[in-house]
Amino acid sequence: MTTSASAPIGIFDSGIGGLTVVKAIQSLLPSERILYFGDTARVPYGSKSQVTIRKYAQDDAGILMKYQPKMIIVACNTVSALAFDVVEQIGKGLPVLGVLEAGAELAVQHSRNARIGVIGTSATIASNAYSFAINAIDPDVEVFSSACPLFVPLAEEGYADHPAASMVAQEYLEKLLEQDIDTLVLGCTHYPILKHMIKKIAGPDIIIIDSAESIALKAREVLAEYDRLNDSGDAAFPHLLVSDLPQKFKALCELFLGQEIPDVELVEV
Ligand code: DGL
């Protein structure tokens, strides 16, 4: 198995939301080769059962393993919450990082009043995985959460600044914001697209934790530990694998990644 510094970092998500993680990794670690799999044929995962999510996670990690990555990043909070062990098993000893753990760690570091809000897909919030992860770090933190199922389609419609998105966000966040939280975790990799609008509703006193940014910091730390950081200085385009090429795919990639993707491969799941 290739484990040299020049091997790619394998990243996956249910669809294109995880491209926000790719963007964060590219900006922090520009020499890293990135292999990204988006299960565009089966997205969304967040409304599905744990059995199905675990099966999909197994397939997704298996696809990345064919390309001999040096690390796997689960750029999907839903999979991080419900099937992280499945990915570790398929990864056979490779470092495996999940957005959920990274987001939980950063939130605890930032919170001053030990009251943290978490938003995510229905499956992520129902699993209570963020509460477990946060309380494993600090049992005194109180965690308040809210499922925001409409945020994924709103992000994919590019409704980042649309009044409809703002109305939905106000409804979803209202109860959470009454809890005197000082930190809010964006517990879904689609949500950074709506970050600006969420920040506006949350107000200036609440710190927003973007799990995409936190996982990039964690990846750098772990790669350095394993002596697998690629410091060749050559910027590389991400190689993108998808299980379907939906309409608007190109526009969506540009929205989530902020650049055009020249290199897309269709794979079977
Ligand atoms: N991006 C996925 C996550 O982070 C959510 C999208 C989905 O429901 O598949 O949870």
Side-chain angles (χ1 to χ4, degrees):
M1 185 183 292
T2 311
T3 48
S4 71
S6 62
I9 299 177
I11 303 176
F12 76 89
D13 180 32
S14 55
I16 45 145
L19 289 176
T20 57
V21 171
V22 172
K23 190 173 170 189
I25 297 220
Q26 271 190 315
S27 96
L28 192 71
L29 303 166
S31 304
E32 293 295 345
R33 287 174 55 213
I34 294 173
L35 174 74
Y36 179 86
F37 173 59
D39 193 4
T40 44
R42 303 191 295 196
V43 68
Y45 286 9
S47 51
K48 299 203 164 76
S49 71
Q50 180 166 16
V51 173
T52 300
I53 293 164
R54 288 175 76 79
K55 160 145 195 356
Y56 288 177
Q58 187 173 357
D59 298 340
D60 301 345
I63 285 168
L64 289 182
M65 286 303 282
K66 290 187 194 148
Y67 295 78
Q68 301 187 322
K70 60 181 174 181
M71 163 184 271
I72 294 182
I73 296 182
V74 183
C76 176
N77 285 270
T78 310
V79 170
S80 288
L82 293 149
F84 192 71
D85 59 312
V86 172
V87 183
E88 282 185 314
Q89 223 169 26
I90 303 285
K92 296 197 179 85
L94 278 183
V96 177
L97 305 184
V99 269
L100 192 146
E101 292 72 18
E105 243 175 68
L106 205 64
V108 173
Q109 278 167 27
H110 277 89
S111 178
R112 294 284 157 260
N113 72 356
R115 296 173 75 82
I116 295 176
V118 178
I119 52 176
T121 65
S122 302
T124 299
I125 298 306
S127 75
N128 273 325
Y130 263 104
S131 306
F132 290 129
I134 288 171
N135 288 141
I137 303 167
D138 183 344
D140 293 331
V141 172
E142 274 197 83
V143 182
F144 305 89
S145 55
S146 174
C148 303
L150 289 173
F151 277 2
V152 169
L154 285 168
E156 295 206 353
E157 272 305 314
Y159 272 23
D161 293 312
H162 196 282
S166 180
M167 272 173 72
V168 169
Q170 257 156 15
E171 176 76 22
Y172 281 154
L173 297 176
E174 194 185 350
K175 293 248 155 49
L176 216 53
L177 297 175
E178 284 168 7
Q179 302 299 331
D180 191 29
I181 55 169
D182 72 346
T183 307
L184 177 63
V185 182
L186 305 184
C188 171
T189 49
H190 275 74
Y191 297 180
I193 296 294
L194 307 172
K195 186 170 168 180
H196 182 68
M197 185 261 301
I198 293 170
K199 173 109 196 113
K200 216 153 77 182
I201 293 170
D205 298 335
I206 294 184
I207 300 159
I208 306 286
I209 303 292
D210 177 342
S211 56
E213 280 166 14
S214 46
I215 196 79
L217 293 167
K218 189 81 192 164
R220 182 172 66 180
E221 189 187 310
V222 173
L223 285 174
E225 226 170 79
Y226 279 74
D227 203 18
R228 288 183 202 165
L229 268 175
N230 187 338
D231 46 20
S232 65
D234 305 326
F237 269 118
H239 182 57
L240 194 56
L241 310 168
V242 289
S243 50
D244 187 31
L245 277 170
Q247 283 179 21
K248 300 196 296 179
F249 179 74
K250 201 168 159 288
L252 277 174
C253 276
E254 284 172 25
L255 172 70
F256 279 75
L257 195 58
Q259 69 184 57
E260 271 191 56
I261 282 276
D263 188 16
V264 184
E265 192 184 330
L266 199 57
V267 293
E268 242 179 80
V269 280

